[in-house]
Amino acid sequence: MSQKYAPYGLWESPITADAIAEDSVSMSDIFVDPVTKDIYYIEQRASEGGRYVLLSNQTQTEVFAKDFNARTRVHEYGGAAAIAYNGTVYSSNFADFLVYAAKDGKIKPITPEDPKKIYRYADFCVHPVHTDLLVAILEDHTHDTPQTVRNSLCVINSTATTVTALVCTEDAQREFYAAPTFSPSGDRLAWQFWEHPDMPWEGGQLYVADVHYNSNTHTLSLSNTKLVAGSASTISACYPLWASNDKLLFTSDEGEEGNRFANLWECTQARTKPVLSSAVQQDFCMPPWRLGNYPFALLDNNGTKAICVAWRGGRSVLYVVDITTGSHKEIKNEMFDFVVIEHVHRISDYTFVFTGLRSNAPGAAMLCTLTGPSLEPNFQVLRSTESTSAAPFPEGIISLPTPLELKLAGDKIVYAVYYAPNNPAYAGSSIPNEKPPCVLGVHGGPTGLETQNLNWLKQYFTSRGYAWLDVNYSGSSCYGRAYVERLKGNWGVADVSDCIEAVQSPELCSLIDTKRTAIRGGSSGGYTALAAISLASSAASKTKFFASATSNYGISNLELLADDTHKFELMYMTKLLGGTKAEIPHVYHDRSPVYFSARIETPLLVLQGNDDKVVPPAQSWTIVDGVIKNKGYVEAHFFDGEQHGWRTSETIKKAIEFEREWYEKTMVRVSVSK
């Protein structure tokens, strides 16, 4: 078939909003019953209102009822909603916030009735001897403000349907807990702890305590609690996992200043030390935004080898780490094309599962077995997120990512990922010498990471003749702690300037039409987009550098956010901006786009969920009102029932189409008609 020509941005594409929205499925989690070795996974399905569906790999059916939503809102972002132990599956239910147990087809709640939805539970671990006792995070919303939510560790008695405190202090409003895990004998418990103003990847601390069982009351208590790794504000220790009754593995970014990467560490009663004989300049974990996303697992019963995920050039790398010798070996073959690997769990010797994402194919729940002295990997797809109902897209339509290492002003290195316009039906533009318009994506966090896995929204645009550019600006994760800390005190400045300078770099100028570049992002990415087109400190706001902009549930008022976001991120801005609102009120004001809406000349699209607790709707109302008041060009859509991010098919479809129509209207058809 002969190829066609049409202006960039106006190509016809089979990748429709309907196709993306109706069959949108993501693999949220995978976990293993350590006794039976059965595998379970959780899918998020947009076609079912964003419901999280817990499935058995053995039966390929739902473990709980058809209306059960295996999701938790602990720390608002959730994660670690379910586990399995000796044939029983335990899960939080989003509908009523209770925890349920399912075994042999029988389902029952194991936490007390909670009609006001005050209590939230997540991150469960089962005592290996007294198996009806589970330790979990308890988040108490009795006084439901960000300043008064209380976090602790509790014991759930699944037989008596009771909940009792295990670790709780007077400062519960400032504290957080994660990753409770019993030693194999059940005699010791490890967990992660941090408190405001830290995030877990900034000053996560690991504690270990002795566990005592009271046979008279059938309860657990702790003694001899010790801090074994991590330090408030300075060293982050995460993901505790027992290799034996005496040895605890974890990740830590302790190291030489300016050259710190999160590597694998071990702690015994004798000492705490790095596992690797020499540090690897790669992060062996992602920051724990969500609970339960373990980046490593043991490969043998003796705890001598582990399978670890590291990050190199913005992509996942698999290593087998020999804990006894401190050596590591990369695992790869022609079948290994995963760019994101998460939720790693052991099944048996040299066999493990994980969720994997590729650049050129849908994600999947995966099983891998390492065989022979060379540890040759055999990968098996357990369950794919590929649509079973929609017609397949044409071969060759996927635009593959090109990682870039950009040298900007002052020899500063910034990382980006470029996707070229790509559609096998088109040979190029019908307009001589036309360069493609570009959509610049800004990730959330802000200390998150834009990965290189297949994203149909990006393909929706590249298949229509747009270029797409992701900028992992200063502050992004998985490039070492020094890169993350570039954003300290500089949020709204460094992220904005990196995005502008990236577009202006020689590598990008030759590929895209810099005068037809749209900036877009969600959450803190939406903030960067708003900041770029409004703040006095932004070069782009002075010259209308960006042709268009989209804010998905973006932050416009930092003063308001400091009081009105959820507890998990309540103090996040303290370091990002360089102090509290009381200490530096001028910074909170001067970096809030809402106060500079009169400067916004860039056409602005605002999309917002009405039930968002992370970035409340007022953040979008106020910026929209300001632009309208100053006779700017703005369009806004608010979605009932949506929280932080789009979950339902209807919203996903509308959001995609609104954004495409906006760019066509504001920067594509305008230039074509000239």
Side-chain angles (χ1 to χ4, degrees), residues 1-8 11-12 396 421-431 433-434 436 462-465:
M1 185 177 71
S2 61
Q3 291 180 304
K4 298 179 286 187
Y5 291 87
Y8 286 122
W11 296 353
E12 295 179 354
N422 184 64
N423 187 324
Y426 289 85
S429 175
S430 57
I431 300 174
N433 302 317
E434 184 191 23
T462 56
S463 65
R464 284 168 170 75

Side-chain angles (χ1 to χ4, degrees), residues 214-236:
N214 186 321
S215 58
N216 294 323
T217 58
H218 193 50
T219 56
L220 302 177
S221 61
L222 304 178
S223 69
N224 197 27
T225 301
K226 292 181 179 179
L227 173 66
V228 298
S231 178
S233 300
T234 58
I235 300 170
S236 175

Side-chain angles (χ1 to χ4, degrees), residues 609-650:
N610 280 328
D611 295 341
D612 195 337
K613 301 297 184 187
V614 178
V615 179
Q619 293 280 346
S620 290
W621 301 335
T622 49
I623 193 76
V624 170
D625 288 346
V627 176
I628 292 173
K629 180 181 177 182
N630 290 286
K631 297 182 169 53
Y633 189 7
V634 65
E635 182 177 303
H637 301 274
F638 293 81
F639 303 106
D640 287 336
E642 289 288 1
Q643 297 161 30
H644 199 61
W646 317 137
R647 286 183 168 82
T648 69
S649 295
E650 182 182 6

Side-chain angles (χ1 to χ4, degrees), residues 291-307:
L291 297 163
N293 185 9
Y294 266 72
F296 66 95
L298 293 170
L299 283 175
D300 60 350
N301 272 328
N302 299 324
T304 62
K305 289 186 173 61
I307 187 74

Side-chain angles (χ1 to χ4, degrees), residues 97-391:
F97 286 17
L98 300 185
V99 181
Y100 287 78
K103 185 169 187 177
D104 299 330
K106 296 178 181 178
I107 300 170
K108 66 170 186 174
I110 62 169
T111 51
E113 287 295 323
D114 183 16
K116 294 184 179 180
K117 296 185 178 180
I118 291 172
Y119 304 108
R120 304 177 183 181
Y121 306 91
D123 226 351
F124 312 98
C125 63
V126 175
H127 193 280
V129 179
H130 310 289
T131 56
D132 62 343
L133 300 180
L134 292 77
V135 171
I137 301 170
L138 171 61
E139 191 167 274
D140 182 346
H141 288 250
T142 300
H143 303 288
D144 197 15
T145 73
Q147 295 79 11
T148 54
V149 169
R150 297 174 61 86
N151 287 72
S152 61
L153 291 181
C154 71
V155 177
I156 300 172
N157 184 323
S158 63
T159 302
T161 317
T162 59
V163 176
T164 55
L166 185 66
V167 182
C168 185
T169 78
E170 300 260 334
D171 292 324
Q173 293 96 332
R174 295 175 47 83
E175 298 175 345
F176 298 89
Y177 299 83
T181 177
F182 285 108
S183 61
S185 65
D187 292 335
R188 304 177 78 195
L189 182 76
W191 66 90
Q192 187 189 33
F193 168 87
W194 68 97
E195 61 183 333
H196 286 319
D198 277 345
M199 299 300 282
W201 54 86
E202 294 174 332
Q205 302 159 60
L206 297 188
Y207 283 86
V208 172
D210 295 331
V211 178
H212 305 280
Y213 172 68
N214 186 321
S215 58
N216 294 323
T217 58
H218 193 50
T219 56
L220 302 177
S221 61
L222 304 178
S223 69
N224 197 27
T225 301
K226 292 181 179 179
L227 173 66
V228 298
S231 178
S233 300
T234 58
I235 300 170
S236 175
C238 303
Y239 305 108
L241 183 70
W242 293 96
S244 66
N245 286 319
D246 179 56
K247 182 178 291 186
L248 184 72
L249 300 178
F250 57 94
T251 61
S252 174
D253 61 9
E254 183 175 349
E256 296 179 6
E257 201 59 41
N259 190 28
R260 293 169 56 189
F261 292 82
N263 278 198
L264 192 64
W265 282 59
E266 64 177 30
C267 170
T268 63
Q269 292 190 3
R271 60 180 177 170
T272 298
K273 68 180 185 70
V275 169
L276 298 172
S277 54
S278 58
V280 176
Q281 292 190 342
Q282 296 166 17
D283 283 319
F284 275 55
C285 65
M286 294 189 80
W289 280 99
R290 299 177 77 243
L291 297 163
N293 185 9
Y294 266 72
F296 66 95
L298 293 170
L299 283 175
D300 60 350
N301 272 328
N302 299 324
T304 62
K305 289 186 173 61
I307 187 74
C308 297
V309 181
W311 289 84
R312 184 174 65 205
R315 300 186 181 206
S316 292
V317 183
L318 267 183
Y319 292 121
V320 169
V321 172
D322 189 318
I323 298 167
T324 56
T325 65
S327 61
H328 65 289
K329 169 187 171 65
E330 185 174 351
I331 298 299
K332 59 181 180 179
N333 66 5
E334 67 279 359
M335 292 292 293
F336 183 83
D337 57 356
F338 302 102
V339 294
V340 178
I341 294 176
E342 298 180 300
H343 307 108
V344 183
H345 296 283
R346 178 177 185 267
I347 295 182
S348 57
D349 281 2
Y350 296 93
T351 301
F352 59 97
V353 295
F354 61 90
T355 58
L357 299 175
R358 298 178 170 96
S359 296
N360 59 352
M366 300 294 301
L367 181 145
C368 179
T369 300
L370 304 176
T371 59
S374 62
L375 301 176
E376 182 66 24
N378 176 42
F379 295 102
Q380 177 187 343
V381 176
L382 297 175
R383 189 174 181 89
S384 173
T385 60
E386 186 172 11
S387 170
T388 56
S389 58

